[in-house]
Amino acid sequence: MGRKYCCVPGCSNTSSTITPEGVKIVLHRLPMSEKKAKIKQEWIRRLRNVRANLIVNDSTRVRSEHFEGEFNDSSVPTIFPSKKPTVVKIRRPVVRHLEETSCNIEEEVVFDDFYQIKENAAPKVPEEHETVTKHALFRFKEEGCNTELPETCSKDIQVGEPSPLMKDASVQVSLPYISPEDLRNNDEKTRFYTGFVSFAMFWHYLTTLVKHGANKLYYWEGEQRCANTSVPAYHQTEVHKPGRKRFLRPDDEFLLVCMRLRLGLLQEHLADIFCTSTTTVSRIINTWMNFLYDHCKGLIPWPSREQILCNIPSGFRDYRNCRIVIDCTELYTEKPSSLVAQWLTWSEYKHSNTFNILIGVAPNGLVTFVSRLWCGNASDRHIVQHDDLLPKLSPGDMVMADKGFTIEDLLPADVDLNIPLRIPGNRQMTQSEFFKTQAIASARIVVEMKMEQVKNYRILGGTLPLNEAHLAEQMAFICIAWTNLLPPLMK
């Protein structure tokens, strides 16, 4: 038998512990017989008063010192060690306090352009315990003051540093290890963590989302919670944020989602980085993925033929009627437990369980079409036939694709298909066939380059977990749409 442990918090004794007097520790098991059911319930009730997450099983033991008097059949644990008092270290205040000035200055703590918390909303703490965290950005809003600040005061007020006018606002808070403030003025780090080309682009996109309600999101609680409401549960339009209290700022939540998509970090890792629980991270990801999916659809346009001709690159001079270049990409996923799901997601090409998605780009590399997410056993022809690409094409258009797209009979009238030649048997290409195939391959490289940009989001380059399979289509669409914010691939 293995070593048994006492389940009382703060008690580190085991079945092999021996006291300094040489006496072996005695651990008592919970009464398990039906005759002692009431005594067992009393044990559990008292133990859960000191340990809320108590799990009762055959290994649950309690040390004899937690019982009053000698242990017998009716004994109940009543003696529990008290929690050790926390020792508060008194530190010298970091913030200097100024004398009261003749003008009235309203003090505010501003964490970002749209998330303001006034000083009187923060809990008051003794001045000798006040500390300042390294990530908080402070600045002040002056109202109704016509006099200038003293010279000593004006030297200390700087962007990104605590002002000496803050007397009670500098309270200690728990902030993420990585925040948007760490990415400011560092485009290289912004590209690494978020995929956006610069911090200015990241912040401008976030500001646009805030105007559409990103600071009023209602945390996603599942389909059953919102079945009887006409408004999506993840997006409410009231003045104040409904639902659960927000644990992170909107910009922190958006950065968390970007890191999930760009770096493919697991939810447990993100919970440690942003100093919150895994459950909160899961709610944030579910909420933001649905919110971003709705607001990213405008990033996938369907340009007219005139717009394509105005921006056609030099590599497509011989294919001026090319409307779209299409190709499919497969995303790996974990093996489902259901045999039907395994069959649906099995890909003979990848020899693994995958999802399949069709992407279409304009000649300059702009994504103009994204299909729904299909199971791995769906063929390229099946996806083209049953998705919304064919109704978008007009007479005179040309579709460029790989030779695996046998869709000539599916295209509308007067719509051409340009694919590499299929050489039957072992016959060698003629010179004209070789140069024609080479020209098509040189033009089709634009869709391969776009696929590489998409796979730079490691959530799509890796293996999608099954617990996020319901978000796979949203994740893929968001990552593909965000590639349209990058510079053009071809000019």
Side-chain angles (χ1 to χ4, degrees), residues 430-446:
T430 62
Q431 185 176 6
S432 60
E433 292 173 343
F434 171 79
F435 285 113
K436 183 178 180 179
T437 303
Q438 186 183 38
I440 296 175
S442 299
R444 273 196 69 259
I445 195 66
V446 63

Side-chain angles (χ1 to χ4, degrees), residues 398-441:
M398 183 189 71
V399 178
M400 186 174 289
D402 191 14
K403 61 182 179 181
F405 284 83
T406 56
I407 57 175
E408 295 90 341
D409 56 323
L410 301 178
L411 296 177
D414 298 330
V415 175
D416 298 329
L417 177 65
N418 196 345
I419 60 176
L421 297 175
R422 303 187 186 95
I423 307 300
N426 296 325
R427 182 176 67 83
Q428 188 175 1
M429 286 186 181
T430 62
Q431 185 176 6
S432 60
E433 292 173 343
F434 171 79
F435 285 113
K436 183 178 180 179
T437 303
Q438 186 183 38
I440 296 175

Side-chain angles (χ1 to χ4, degrees), residues 268-315:
E268 291 80 2
H269 192 182
L270 292 171
D272 293 337
I273 293 176
F274 287 88
C275 302
T276 185
S277 65
T278 307
T279 304
T280 300
V281 171
S282 178
R283 287 196 183 101
I284 291 173
I285 290 177
N286 278 271
T287 303
W288 276 85
M289 289 302 172
N290 289 280
F291 175 70
L292 290 173
Y293 178 73
D294 287 341
H295 290 81
C296 280
K297 294 179 180 179
L299 296 177
I300 308 293
W302 182 258
S304 63
R305 189 181 303 174
E306 290 75 13
Q307 291 174 327
I308 292 177
L309 288 175
C310 292
N311 299 277
I312 195 165
S314 58

Side-chain angles (χ1 to χ4, degrees), residues 11-29:
C11 182
S12 58
N13 294 283
T14 67
S15 56
S16 61
T17 303
I18 299 177
T19 62
E21 293 79 12
V23 180
K24 189 175 181 180
I25 293 296
V26 178
L27 300 179
H28 298 287
R29 181 186 178 188

Side-chain angles (χ1 to χ4, degrees), residues 106-233:
E106 180 185 0
E107 304 173 9
E108 288 187 2
V109 183
V110 182
F111 291 95
D112 47 57
D113 294 338
F114 54 85
Y115 200 73
Q116 298 184 355
I117 303 176
K118 290 191 175 181
E119 175 188 0
N120 54 14
K124 299 291 183 179
V125 297
E127 294 180 3
E128 62 270 14
H129 295 168
E130 294 177 353
T131 58
V132 180
T133 54
K134 64 177 181 178
H135 290 298
L137 298 179
F138 302 99
R139 67 172 183 255
F140 295 87
K141 178 181 179 183
E142 302 181 7
E143 295 180 356
C145 179
N146 298 324
T147 59
E148 296 183 358
L149 293 176
E151 182 180 357
T152 56
C153 179
S154 61
K155 292 181 180 179
D156 294 329
I157 298 180
Q158 299 178 3
V159 177
E161 296 184 1
S163 169
L165 293 176
M166 304 186 72
K167 185 174 181 180
D168 298 322
S170 55
V171 296
Q172 185 171 353
V173 295
S174 177
L175 290 178
Y177 291 107
I178 298 177
S179 65
E181 288 78 11
D182 297 319
L183 308 182
R184 195 182 301 272
N185 301 324
N186 194 332
D187 293 342
E188 182 179 356
K189 190 173 286 189
T190 302
R191 285 192 296 270
F192 175 77
Y193 283 111
T194 67
F196 289 90
V197 292
S198 64
F199 181 81
M201 175 66 73
F202 168 82
W203 195 255
H204 177 73
Y205 189 80
L206 174 60
T207 306
T208 304
L209 292 176
V210 170
K211 294 179 180 178
H212 290 83
N215 56 339
K216 302 176 185 177
L217 292 179
Y218 186 92
Y219 288 121
W220 181 258
E221 299 289 349
E223 295 289 347
Q224 296 180 353
R225 291 288 186 91
C226 60
N228 299 324
T229 59
S230 58
V231 181

